[in-house]
Amino acid sequence: MSKISLRNIVKKYPNAEHCSVSDFNLDIEEGEFIVLVGPSGCGKSTTLRMIAGLEDITSGEFILDGEVVNNVSSKDRDIAMVFQSYALYPHMSVRENVGYGLKLRNYPAETTKKQVDEISKDLFLTQYLERKPKELSGGQRQRVALGRAMVRTPKLYLMDEPLSNLDAKLRTTTRSEISRMHRAKGAITIYVTHDQVEAMTMADRIVLMSMGEVQQIGSPKELFTNPKNCFVATFMGMPSMNLIEGSYKAGNFSCDSFTIAVSDTDKKILDDAGYDGKSLFLGARSSAIRSGKKYEEAFPNSCFETTAMNVEYLGDSVNVFFNAEPNNLFVGTLGTGEREVEVDEKVTLVLDNTKLHFFDSETEESIKYTINQVK
Ligand SMILES: Nc1ncnc2c1ncn2[C@@H]1O[C@H](COP(=O)(O)OP(=O)(O)O)[C@@H](O)[C@H]1O
Ligand SMILES: [Mg+2]
């Protein structure tokens, strides 16, 4: 079983003005599934390629099992990789492609056959084993690339957006197949995606990046319930957290279209942190915005009337956009079970003030982050 430390890793490409990755620090425990997630261009692939040995590390240390391996060549790092561009061997059949890594390492033919059969079954490839890559769809090729990596048990699996060529249904099944295979193999997996759903569903720990910098590292639950800043708050979770610009005074938050009372706990936190009379962002997830008598009675001082601007029917749930200057509110699942909301209808919304987040309007850092962390 392996352990990894990435210490102060920096990548500056030759001639680039800015660093693509700046001061990346992470210790990975045996068997962990780490997901690097963030918007396109934030430095995920660059980080993964440095770990793979395909890109030089400008400064910092990559430590694998206690040894600095910055200068160890890619083929000597005992890693298996899957990339978005799957690069299969065109002249080989699916069976030969999947078994290639085992053949290179002189596995007996019988063992190779057995392992290739097993992994192909898991990845729904059994019926294509004798075909050549050009006779497969993009999604099937991507699964062959996955099979080729997962047939072995290396020290480390590295995957860069391996599901992006699959359709939505196959993405969901393959996602859970990768998680299952990871648990069975027990080797560290570092998985790159821009999709927060993949990050939430697959990761033991998520590393969320933006513009080359790590924003927050933690379990999916930690990032969802205690986001460190506005970026993390709005990136993780579907629907995205609503951020409303306003100000705080004497236990009340006010924006252009409403004033609500914050909870006693939040009042103390905001007062102690010196926010009385200051501007800040209120963060409310869809689940903290409700409507109906029950909620109005529970939170009588955090109700306000607004207008539904758009309604999206999704079957099990309904999304509603409300006017709430200076920002609009997006609420998923509001009104289902009780009644349907219509466009232009006036609705009394209730903020469940036990579930609110607050962010500094200048730094965009969460005001409750450290306090929640200690709990
Ligand atoms: N070979 C390269 N030379 C110069 N800049 C690069 C190179 N590869 C990537 N970059 C830049 O580094 C940044 C991070 O890229 P990348 O790691 O590919 O992002 P991601 O995988 O998160 O989309 C981007 O600004 C990108 O333009
Ligand atoms: Mg990338």
Side-chain angles (χ1 to χ4, degrees), residues 44-45 84 160-161 192:
K44 308 179 294 292
S45 295
Q84 194 175 347
D160 194 345
E161 314 242 6
V192 161

Side-chain angles (χ1 to χ4, degrees), residues 11 13 20-21 24 36-56 81-85 158-162 190-194 209 212:
K11 178 69 188 185
Y13 286 104
S20 291
V21 176
F24 187 104
L36 304 184
V37 65
S40 177
C42 71
K44 308 179 294 292
S45 295
T46 300
T47 305
L48 202 74
R49 291 172 61 79
M50 287 190 282
I51 296 169
L54 300 173
E55 224 33 276
D56 288 340
M81 293 179 263
V82 192
F83 291 112
Q84 194 175 347
S85 57
L158 301 178
M159 304 191 184
D160 194 345
E161 314 242 6
I190 307 177
Y191 184 103
V192 161
T193 179
H194 63 273
M209 299 177 72

Side-chain angles (χ1 to χ4, degrees), residues 141-179:
R141 284 181 214 168
Q142 188 64 293
R143 282 181 283 142
V144 176
L146 270 171
R148 189 173 56 180
M150 305 224 47
V151 77
R152 296 204 297 122
T153 308
K155 280 189 178 168
L156 188 56
Y157 291 106
L158 301 178
M159 304 191 184
D160 194 345
E161 314 242 6
L163 305 184
S164 48
N165 293 313
L166 308 190
D167 63 46
K169 186 159 169 266
L170 207 50
R171 206 178 305 149
T172 313
T173 45
T174 314
R175 184 172 87 201
S176 93
E177 225 22 79
I178 293 175
S179 296

Side-chain angles (χ1 to χ4, degrees), residues 26 42 67 70 114 116 151 173 275 280 331 340-341 366 372:
L26 180 67
C42 71
E67 273 179 60
N70 289 37
K114 187 163 165 279
V116 170
V151 77
T173 45
Y275 280 92
L280 43 71
V331 185
E340 307 249 324
V341 174
S366 166
N372 285 342

